[in-house]
Amino acid sequence: MTVAGSIVDLSKQAAPRGLACDVLVIGSGSGGATAARVLAEAGREVVVLEEGADRTGKDLTQRDGAMYDQLYMDRGGRVTEDLSISVLQGRVLGGGPVINMADVVPIPDGVLRHWQKKHGLTDFSPETLAPFKARALQDLSANPIAPDQINRANGLLRQGAEKLGLRGEVMMHNRVGCRGLGTCMLGCPLGAKQNTRFVSIPKALDRGARFFLRARAVRIEGAREDVKRVTVAVLDERGHHPTGTFQVRAQVVIVAANAIASAELLLRSGIGNSHVGRHLILQPQLAVTALFDEKVRAFDGIPQAYAVTEHERDDDPEHGLWGYRIEPVMGTPGNVASVLPLGGVAGKELMAVYDRIAAALVLVPDEPSGNVQLGPSAGHPIISYRQAENHKARLREGAKLAARIYFAAGARQVFVPTTPPVVLESERDVARIDAISLAPATAPLLSAHQQGTVRFAPSSERGGADPDGRVYGTRGVYVFDTSGFPSSASSHTMTPVLTIAHYLSAKLASGK
């Protein structure tokens, strides 16, 4: 009979001594929670380490300061080395799906074909992955956003796009019972998101998996041996400072801590080849804001429900997913104020009409353009990234199209938050966006979909892990997260990670 698993917060209970297991999973997000569930269901003894705490229900206060402190890596302040790009990474039981916009966008078949042809991942065919994609969508209770759930802000973007004859789509999401609080990036206190915290983690617990919170994996030793030893730092109640260490022994170690943290842990452990930490993909996004005469109240309802996909394609011979797409976005007042281009009295006046503002993100797939290096301490890597000129050009094109869409929908002004700020009064001004330099730290770019750094490849000459996720040069150390993606999997990575994690975990469980 299977003994039920447990969730243990090590800031409140003593660290275990002599802890051993069949499979140790590092990270509890889409990749880690899925691997824990599949392998626990296959009869493996599973332990999961998570730096964050368990935050659900009333713990999710919808207050910016408290929630960024507790739900995000580096309290929401993780940035690239040159301070150009904000790197958003979850640090909570359930990982990124707790704090994302609940967008369900599977890996397009064209991207999988690209991975087969260019990157040698011959087993990653649409046909092979179809049942695992279905499992991912089932986990998410994926469903189209209903017409009555499309708020005014999304409706305006759709209205403008249709007026210009642009292709677009109502998106799928993983919400059930959504009440339109609009604070998705701070977690859903109603539990409407059907994510890893409420699906895979309970199923893993039912089959005996043990989850340890406030537990930061610091180093993996014995990567070539039958039994690996992982040193773990115990963090304090807020997750800010280490208070002690302990060790876990495991036959298999699955690293699923996000493309940034997974690469950092492997580097700190001296594991892997020269590809580890390289080929970083950040998909930097740029916001465009519009002011309307009528009330928009973009903060009410689902933030992202409609996407303009006119210039997005998944069959680019060189890159796979390419072009760009435009999606609405909205945050809390503090979050919005931080990315508006005006300060002082002008900024205060603009925030006074916060209920008449609509905003969109230009989502632009990038080619691998960065790397992860070791920082001075565990948990603080150095993220280096240089925007390619083709990425800058597509950001400008996307920003111009977003401005035209908003003016077609009746916007009074459109703002692009750059230094110096770009304020457009009509469609005649849109060409001014061509002059935006996008030099380092001149635009508040953000990254929510980090990929690469330990990419899957058929040989160690081409990547950091084999097509089964096993890190080259190891015996039983795997990566089951976005770090394995050789190019952008999708405009939103939750569903791709779930798909690939189901696939790789099933292979590992079967021993094939």
Side-chain angles (χ1 to χ4, degrees), residues 36-195:
R37 166 195 171 182
V38 172
L39 292 165
E41 289 176 340
R44 307 294 176 86
E45 185 181 14
V46 176
V47 167
V48 181
L49 304 178
E50 169 57 53
E51 279 197 36
D54 188 13
R55 302 295 187 202
T56 61
K58 293 181 180 179
D59 295 329
L60 299 170
T61 65
Q62 304 180 74
R63 297 295 183 264
D64 286 9
M67 293 298 92
Y68 276 98
D69 176 83
Q70 286 302 294
L71 304 179
Y72 286 79
M73 192 66 76
D74 290 346
R75 310 183 197 184
R78 176 159 286 188
V79 294
T80 53
E81 184 182 22
D82 62 1
L83 308 181
S84 291
I85 304 169
S86 175
V87 180
L88 303 178
Q89 178 186 343
R91 189 177 76 146
V92 61
L93 183 63
V98 174
I99 56 169
N100 67 12
M101 292 288 195
D103 301 303
V104 174
V105 186
I107 308 176
D109 288 355
V111 170
L112 293 174
R113 298 292 187 206
H114 173 72
W115 287 4
Q116 289 183 291
K117 293 176 183 177
K118 182 172 181 180
H119 296 284
L121 300 178
T122 55
D123 291 342
F124 284 59
S125 70
E127 295 77 16
T128 298
L129 290 179
F132 303 100
K133 170 185 171 182
R135 291 177 196 175
L137 295 176
Q138 183 179 25
D139 285 353
L140 295 168
S141 298
N143 62 98
I145 295 174
D148 63 354
Q149 292 178 304
I150 299 175
N151 68 4
R152 179 68 174 150
N154 281 265
L156 285 168
L157 190 78
R158 183 178 189 174
Q159 175 185 327
E162 291 178 348
K163 189 173 181 179
L164 296 178
L166 301 172
R167 184 180 74 239
E169 63 184 24
V170 175
M171 300 172 69
M172 288 199 303
H173 65 164
N174 63 307
R175 300 176 184 90
V176 174
C178 176
R179 299 289 296 276
L181 298 179
T183 55
C184 304
M185 291 183 65
L186 302 180
C188 179
L190 302 178
K193 295 181 186 180
Q194 305 305 295
N195 58 32

Side-chain angles (χ1 to χ4, degrees), residues 445-465:
L445 301 176
L446 64 89
S447 165
H449 311 123
Q450 305 92 39
Q451 300 161 83
T453 70
V454 198
R455 67 182 181 188
F456 303 141
S459 71
S460 59
E461 287 73 32
R462 297 177 64 179

Side-chain angles (χ1 to χ4, degrees), residues 349-437:
E349 291 174 346
L350 187 55
M351 283 304 297
V353 290
Y354 174 55
D355 61 353
R356 293 196 278 124
I357 289 173
L361 288 174
V362 182
L363 284 74
V364 181
D366 54 335
E367 56 195 328
S369 302
N371 61 75
V372 175
Q373 304 168 46
L374 290 179
S377 64
H380 292 86
I382 297 171
I383 305 168
S384 300
Y385 185 90
R386 295 293 180 270
Q387 259 195 104
E389 290 303 317
N390 66 55
H391 191 267
K392 294 179 182 179
R394 285 177 292 131
L395 274 178
R396 295 187 193 100
E397 288 302 311
K400 289 193 295 183
L401 184 58
R404 285 197 289 268
I405 290 171
Y406 277 134
F407 282 125
R412 175 193 289 185
Q413 292 178 305
V414 173
F415 308 91
V416 185
T418 57
T419 303
V422 174
V423 181
L424 311 177
E425 303 292 340
S426 72
E427 187 172 352
R428 293 188 299 272
D429 300 332
V430 166
R432 291 174 51 198
I433 292 174
D434 287 326
I436 294 174
S437 71

Side-chain angles (χ1 to χ4, degrees), residues 11 28 57 61 65 82-83 166 173 191 197 214 227 231 266 294 298 326 375 380 387 424 429 433 454 477 481 483:
S11 70
S28 68
T61 65
D82 62 1
L83 308 181
L166 301 172
H173 65 164
R197 177 61 188 89
R214 294 303 187 206
V227 177
T231 300
L266 295 177
E294 72 272 17
I326 301 167
H380 292 86
Q387 259 195 104
L424 311 177
D429 300 332
I433 292 174
V454 198
V477 178
D481 61 10
S483 61

